[in-house]
Amino acid sequence: MTDRKPGVYLCKGCGIAESVSMDAMEKVATTENRIPVCKTHDCLCADEGVAMIKADVAAGEVNQVIIGACSPRVMTDRFDFDGAVTIRANLREQVVWSQPAGEEDTQMLANDHIRMACAQSIKTKPPLPKIEGEFSETILVVGGGVAGMSAAREATRAGHDVILVERTDQLGGWARKWSERTPHRPPYRGPVENDVASLVSAVEGDGRIKVMTNTRVTKTAGMPGRFAVTFNQGGTEVTETIGAIVVATGWRPYDATKLGHLGYGASPDVVTNVEMEAMLANGGLKRKSDGKAARTVAFVQCAGSRDPNHLPYCSSVCCQVSIKQALQVAKADPDASCYIVYEELRTPGTAEEYYRQAQEAGVIFVKGKVKSVGADLTVTYDDDLLGNDIPLSGLDMVVLATGMVPNSTDTSAEAIEPEKSALQLKDDIDPEAAIAIAGYAGEAPAAPERPERPIPEGGPILNLQYRQGPHIPMLADGFADSHYICFPYETRRTGIYTCGPVRRPMDMAETAEDAAGAVLKAIQALKNASGGVSMHPRVGDLSFPKFGLDICTKCRRCTVECPFGAIDEDEKDYPILNPARCRRCGTCMGACPVRTISFDNYSPQIVADMLSSVEIPDEFSGKPRILVFACENDAYPAVDMAGINRHQISPYVRIIPVRCLGSVTLLWVSTALEKGYDGVMLMGCKSGDDYQCHFVKGSAIAKERMSKVGDTLKSLMLEAERVRLEEISIADSSRVPEVLNAFSDEIVKIGFNPFKGF
Amino acid sequence: MTAPAPDTTRKYDLAFAKWVYKNVNGGDKLSMCMQCGMCSGSCPIGVQMDYGPRKLFMMIRAGMKEEVLSSNTLWNCTSCYRCVVRCPRSVPVTYILQDLAAKASELGYAPKKENKRFADSFWWSARLFGRTDERLVTAKYYFSFGLSEGIKRGLDNLKIAMGMIKAGRMHIGMPHTVKGRKGLQAALKKAAEIEARQSGV
Amino acid sequence: MAGVTSQTILVVGGGIAGVTAALEAAETGYDVVLLEKEPTLGGRVSRFNRYFPKLCHPTCGLEINYQRIKKNPRLQVMTMAEVAGISGERGNYTVTVKTTPRYVNAKCTACGDCAKATDMEVANSFNYGLDKVKAAHLPHEHAYPMRYVVAPEAVASGEGEKIKAACKYGAVDLDEKEATFDLNVGAIIWATGWRPYDPQKLTSYAYDLSPDIVTNVEMERLAAHDGPTHGKIVRPSNGEPAKKVALIQCAGSRDLNHLPYCSRICCLGSLKHAAYVREQYADATVDIYYIDIRAHDKLEAFYNRLRRDPQVNFVKSKPAHIIVGEDGRPVLCGERTIDREIYKEPYDLVVLATGMEPSVVGGFAPTVGAVVDDYGFVLPEIGDGEGIFSAGVAGGPFDVSMSAQSATAAALKAIQAVRADGA
């Protein structure tokens, strides 16, 4: 960009002109800030208003359009101009809709919004993307089971080359062993043909898929569009350039030898559901012990699953698998008797039809918790419905419906730096933590002592050469991320997507679908990488953090705190960015103690300029000033919606949207207090076990940083209460005014900032 | 109300359930029960039953033949059909209970029970008049216990009877009959013949 | 196969599945048209107070998605538009779109002057009719597009003229008419979602007999800060706190007389409702009546969290019927299957966990290139020529995460279908 040419455009519509003086704001722009172009319009977003701005931009008079109108959340597309940067001053939602019209305080707030926007423009540059070097469009799929093979096929059908890596000597995974599969299409009744063999041949016959069996990934470096992945195929190492990665390592059955109380090991006729598949696939059910036909079979559900001592989660598929196996037994031998002993029968969705099918076939469902299975195959359980302990005896076979354990690590590989890896794997949220929603927190019973869960054994799947460790991020239950409900493919390692049972227990049909979803995200990642734009949630953002290495102290805070592992350290310990891994949250910027990390359009300096531009009345005016940094995705919209509902907010508050609380540097807080603000509030998303921060750790990191602010304040002889972090959700439009007004009252009580005027 | 304890030494045996599925009218649908309790909760006289229909069905699956066939549940059903209408699995509960009662009677499980006496009295009236006459059904039922017991029971309930007469719930005079009583009796006779033929007696 | 003549992907339905599918396809570089029948995007989830298991707010993810839409020129959103016909084949579908009038055009700035100009009120469909709203209104505080709507009743009664006169920006257009037009698209993602099963069909649950018997979707509105009670969970009959609450599972679902399938989300939804009640009242008790608690996969942890609360009770029983007691409270009747006790239990508030009925039931369903099963779920045909895919609950009873998952997968399938070089 050549010279900056700011122009201010003020809208009189939506009640702005009726509430505040346009002349006063114009004066702020032209006189105070010496902005050469300043125009007003009755309805800036109307065609004429937009045309007016467009003409100025086209004429080369303006390349920074400063809009004083509605919130930046609306009319975004209207106020988007080729060849100019747009900066918005939120006069509507956050001034005239939340303040009384015609008041002096309202005018001061409006003027300050214009001041902040003008100050923001000073250092703002149009971001230029960082695109260097070659990019690969090849997708690596790790794992050759249903998930991996489906992913590979989906990727080639979308036009991408695939390398499919399988650690064993053949494709197919567990599904290769299945006799039949559960139905997933109408009429959702009997077991259907297991079509894995045709998927295997489709993969093998696909010229765009390079299948590598007996292969492990030994190292993954680089970034989306340009991962350098090293494979070890039977002792030979090769390195390939990869665009994006789909991890489809699947699952393994829970170790039945840990289920001694359910008779496993005591009798050869107590088998797991996986062993049962093999027996059924061989045709005719014969007892292992004596080769006699098994005619009376009991299935023990939740063998390991839903048990705090084993797998805390429900493995989701076992009810349907037992139904399938019972139906197979019944079909082969109409006189056979099958019992399914369950605690909660889980056939969600259309699988309910499958449950009915089993009942029609005469399978008996018995509700109760199994206490033990004896060597004589007697199943003892609490029959909930008959109200007694009833031994289920005279059985020929007992099948334990064992659950799924995610292969989020490679158990057959050796751990790398075990202690460091263990830290990475343990450092995560607890899915069973006490429910902490407003009000409930105090009343809810505390979570039980979190059982010591074994750290997943083995080595990493990808051996990521990231500062954050070699493993793909996983949650405390051992499954791979994501922790987001709306964004199931969100990942902390951009360009690396998990699918199938490594992510969540799921059946074959859902796994195939999940593979397609993961492939779509992988394609997006490599496309975005080559275009130099960000992935979700700041989709399309071209800006990226720049490091002023001249004053960098090599403290490593940026590399350590990055939630996405985007920043490596070079051989001299300086940070180097992998831009395609970066999500542009600015957590590195907030971390840097020497403030040498900045974006073209978002930096410590830009925000410091903004907050410094606000006019601070002296202590005799009786008008305190409170600075608020609000997360732009949640807290800021909540303030907007307070305005939409015409809730009144304290006129002393000045709000600056931030990309994430993680980007808030302590410099801003200290600058604000030096400038005479009486209080500072950070409004961001919930952190902790049920975190809602879109950048995973941003709000948690901000909380951590702010916990240390108290000491700084004390050293300045300031009250710790002047700086506060508040968790605000997007649904807090009614609460936001209360929180801000209460803080404002509290600040008045504490008294004015003694630094005011210095 | 307290159910007799099931025989905990007994083995689970599907033979009885399979017998019910095959031989009892509607029994083939019994396997569809998912033990939700809708039937027992809906039953207007569920509290009078040894077991509600839901539990009875579970007992059938558990092979508890003795307990099932000698329970009063089979006899207390008033055929209001609430359970049948509401059952989420379309189990014809009423039919199953009715036919189980018939089978229990055949197998000699129920004769000493009061329910059997009542059912016989009820059936006697229905066959004779084409409808039930409260006085005659009650009288026949009471006197089936013997003369003195019949008088005693009658006196015990005199107040209720007077109340019912006052409220117009019980009439005095000749028993009401249906039109075409002869035809009804012929139909019933024919039905009995068919039933006898089907059950191979 | 006549080849691909249009590479545009049409997404039908603007709930979480449709929005996700549209965005994922557009952000991968394809042109997308997104149709939504209602005045705003967001569908069912925008009416939820929180999601299970994190108890976070749906608007949080929707906000991100709406910002993504605003930034994406490849994605065109049409509200108050639905599909009336489909013909053609993969790569070349002709879709007839029917639009209903909003009576407000794109000039609307959402200033709100129109609402101020009228006193006429209509039932608030966003809150399932639990309260009223001005005849000219913003559908809700998080509406996207942020544009007002004029109720047809106002136009019919002449009140529309007053509303029109109040608009400074010429945005009120009372002459808008129903219209149809054709779109040429290469692939279709069917994401029309679901509606709550009609509780009036559950006659023994007396929904009509007491205002204190509500559905699970109404419970979401009662708990929402922008709902009819501003988030206070109270008895609709008298506004008193609802401190003894019954949640009835499978109200319609798993029932051959109603919805034969399991709706999957209701158990988890009710666990969430228990948390809502306990959040507001320390002395409240919640009884959950159920057949099986289906907290599938990792959601088991959420079940465990609620099970630890001694004031949340799990009663294995499908209640037989509800009567209205003498004090006006609804009374649940049924059999507790575990101890075989017959109960008659009065409650302040009874919530029916009604199931999900596919929106296509009783309306338009794609029959060309897709299969509609007996329940009304839409599935793609099997084969290589498929060009119609379903996303979210249109394809089966899914939770939000699974809907987003299926929507992302559908986006890829649609992209494969419109790629010029074919499969």
Side-chain angles (χ1 to χ4, degrees), chain A residues 482-497:
Chain A
S482 145
H483 190 49
Y484 297 99
I485 292 159
C486 319
F487 308 112
Y489 297 105
E490 176 54 332
T491 170
R492 282 180 260 172
R493 300 293 176 263
T494 315
I496 300 171
Y497 302 92

Side-chain angles (χ1 to χ4, degrees), chain B residues 187-200:
Chain B
L188 288 172
K189 198 173 162 219
K190 185 79 186 163
E193 278 170 28
I194 294 169
E195 196 174 82
R197 205 164 49 234
Q198 279 181 347
S199 58

Side-chain angles (χ1 to χ4, degrees), chain A residues 334-339 342 352 355-356 359-360 362 364-366 381 383 385-386 388-394, chain B residues 5-6 8-14 17-18 21 28 31-35 54-55 58-59 61-62 64 88-89:
Chain A
D335 290 331
S337 301
C338 289
Y339 298 91
Y342 69 96
E352 185 71 6
Y355 174 22
R356 282 193 290 265
Q359 287 182 306
E360 255 178 64
I364 302 286
F365 290 83
V366 180
Y381 73 104
D383 193 311
L385 299 168
L386 294 173
N388 296 76
D389 283 9
I390 295 184
L392 192 50
S393 55
Chain B
T8 52
T9 56
R10 172 196 45 77
K11 286 179 182 176
Y12 257 80
D13 180 5
L14 268 186
K18 283 182 175 167
Y21 292 174
D28 55 331
S31 65
M32 299 308 291
C33 169
M34 62 172 167
Q35 295 287 301
R54 176 200 61 77
K55 186 164 181 181
M58 196 62 220
M59 290 162 66
R61 293 180 189 175
M64 297 160 74
R89 285 296 178 83

Side-chain angles (χ1 to χ4, degrees), chain C residues 96-381:
Chain C
T96 307
V97 178
K98 189 185 94 184
T99 58
T100 23
R102 177 195 280 268
Y103 303 113
V104 176
N105 63 30
K107 291 179 185 167
C108 175
T109 65
C111 71
D113 286 350
C114 55
K116 279 185 213 145
T118 180
D119 291 324
M120 184 178 174
E121 289 190 324
V122 293
N124 186 353
S125 65
F126 185 72
N127 285 338
Y128 298 101
L130 291 168
D131 64 351
K132 298 206 154 193
V133 72
K134 288 279 187 79
H137 60 275
L138 190 64
H140 55 98
E141 66 174 21
H142 196 245
Y144 179 88
M146 192 172 157
R147 196 189 295 175
Y148 276 62
V149 192
V150 176
E153 297 94 311
V155 180
S157 71
E159 186 76 6
E161 292 301 333
K162 238 160 92 185
I163 291 167
K164 184 179 176 178
C167 180
K168 289 205 259 314
Y169 308 109
V172 177
D173 179 357
L174 302 175
D175 299 327
E176 277 185 12
K177 295 272 179 298
E178 236 180 47
T180 57
F181 59 90
D182 284 351
L183 282 176
N184 181 228
V185 299
I188 299 168
I189 296 175
W190 198 260
T192 48
W194 59 285
R195 69 171 84 91
Y197 187 69
D198 181 0
Q200 294 183 336
K201 291 182 181 165
L202 306 166
T203 44
S204 74
Y205 287 163
Y207 177 77
D208 285 342
L209 299 184
S210 165
D212 297 333
I213 302 171
V214 300
T215 66
N216 45 3
V217 291
E218 290 169 344
M219 180 66 165
E220 290 292 332
R221 297 316 300 153
L222 288 180
H225 77 284
D226 58 343
T229 57
H230 305 289
K232 270 293 181 205
I233 298 175
V234 295
R235 299 179 59 193
S237 63
N238 60 9
E240 281 173 16
K243 293 195 176 182
K244 191 178 175 209
V245 179
L247 311 174
I248 302 183
Q249 299 314 111
C250 298
S253 303
R254 299 184 69 188
D255 191 332
L256 292 171
N257 302 313
H258 302 282
L259 304 173
Y261 49 87
C262 159
S263 294
R264 191 193 298 262
I265 61 160
C266 331
C267 284
L268 282 310
S270 291
L271 292 170
K272 183 176 67 166
H273 293 166
Y276 291 172
V277 175
R278 293 284 290 114
E279 174 188 11
Q280 296 197 3
Y281 307 115
D283 54 346
T285 56
V286 181
D287 294 342
I288 300 181
Y289 290 83
Y290 71 99
I291 306 174
D292 295 285
I293 292 288
R294 292 188 164 169
H296 51 93
D297 62 62
K298 298 162 41 151
L299 295 165
E300 178 76 8
F302 188 53
Y303 179 26
N304 286 338
R305 291 163 100 177
L306 268 301
R307 269 206 288 200
R308 289 200 297 267
D309 187 335
Q311 281 158 256
V312 176
N313 307 306
F314 292 85
V315 184
K316 181 168 158 45
S317 167
K318 182 174 173 69
H321 49 263
I322 303 174
I323 54 176
V324 180
E326 279 171 20
D327 61 356
R329 296 206 297 169
V331 179
L332 253 62
C333 306
E335 183 212 26
R336 281 198 294 262
T337 64
I338 303 294
D339 60 12
R340 227 227 115 194
E341 290 292 324
I342 300 290
Y343 57 83
K344 270 192 172 183
E345 199 68 40
Y347 287 95
D348 294 341
L349 184 69
V350 173
V351 184
L352 308 177
T354 49
M356 301 196 280
E357 183 171 50
S359 298
V360 299
V361 173
F364 178 85
T367 46
V368 175
V371 180
V372 182
D373 73 13
D374 289 349
Y375 312 133
F377 295 118
V378 178
L379 303 157
E381 275 181 348

Side-chain angles (χ1 to χ4, degrees), chain A residues 32 76 111 117 188 200 281 340 365 372 412 423 494 675 678 684 747:
Chain A
E32 259 183 51
T76 320
N111 291 352
Y188 311 107
V200 171
I340 292 181
F365 290 83
S372 66
S412 62
L423 268 179
T494 315
K675 294 283 175 191
D678 304 287
I747 292 298

Side-chain angles (χ1 to χ4, degrees), chain A residues 199-459:
Chain A
L199 183 57
V200 171
S201 53
V203 167
E204 287 172 345
D206 189 328
R208 299 192 78 158
I209 303 175
K210 179 179 168 189
V211 178
M212 296 171 76
T213 48
N214 289 317
T215 303
R216 275 200 171 72
V217 173
T218 54
K219 204 160 92 170
T220 303
M223 64 176 192
R226 206 186 298 140
F227 284 113
V229 183
T230 308
F231 306 100
N232 183 322
Q233 187 172 31
T236 318
E237 294 229 325
V238 282
T239 299
E240 300 266 5
T241 306
I242 296 292
I245 302 171
V246 172
V247 175
T249 43
W251 63 286
R252 58 184 180 275
Y254 185 66
D255 182 1
T257 59
K258 292 179 187 164
L259 302 174
H261 64 295
L262 298 180
Y264 194 80
S267 161
D269 297 325
V270 177
V271 301
T272 68
N273 45 5
V274 172
E275 290 161 350
M276 181 69 167
E277 279 302 318
M279 295 169 79
L280 289 167
N282 295 336
L285 193 58
K286 302 264 192 302
R287 276 155 62 107
K288 279 189 183 171
S289 59
D290 53 14
K292 283 189 189 148
R295 313 194 76 177
T296 308
V297 183
F299 295 83
V300 175
Q301 297 310 110
C302 299
S305 300
R306 305 184 60 216
D307 183 336
N309 298 317
H310 299 279
L311 303 175
Y313 49 84
C314 160
S315 292
S316 219
V317 300
C318 330
C319 283
Q320 287 184 63
V321 169
S322 291
I323 286 173
K324 179 186 76 104
Q325 294 178 342
L327 280 170
Q328 287 174 298
V329 172
K331 193 179 167 194
D333 178 1
D335 290 331
S337 301
C338 289
Y339 298 91
I340 292 181
V341 190
Y342 69 96
E343 284 177 80
E344 312 278 354
L345 198 84
R346 291 183 173 166
T347 48
T350 51
E352 185 71 6
E353 190 62 52
Y354 199 36
Y355 174 22
R356 282 193 290 265
Q357 168 70 15
Q359 287 182 306
E360 255 178 64
V363 176
I364 302 286
F365 290 83
V366 180
K367 181 175 162 64
K369 187 169 176 59
V370 174
K371 293 172 170 173
S372 66
V373 178
D376 65 347
L377 303 184
T378 298
V379 175
T380 307
Y381 73 104
D382 273 328
D383 193 311
D384 286 342
L385 299 168
L386 294 173
N388 296 76
D389 283 9
I390 295 184
L392 192 50
S393 55
L395 297 165
D396 298 330
M397 247 180 87
V398 173
V399 181
L400 304 181
T402 50
M404 288 178 142
V405 181
N407 284 335
S408 42
T409 56
D410 182 350
T411 46
S412 62
E414 287 212 2
I416 292 169
E417 294 185 70
E419 277 169 29
K420 215 168 130 189
S421 289
L423 268 179
Q424 184 197 353
L425 294 173
K426 275 193 90 94
D427 170 31
D428 223 307
I429 59 147
D430 179 2
E432 297 218 5
I435 289 174
I437 48 178
Y440 201 162
E443 307 298 336
E449 192 79 12
R450 189 175 171 181
E452 191 68 18
R453 299 224 188 285
I455 296 156
E457 316 143 24

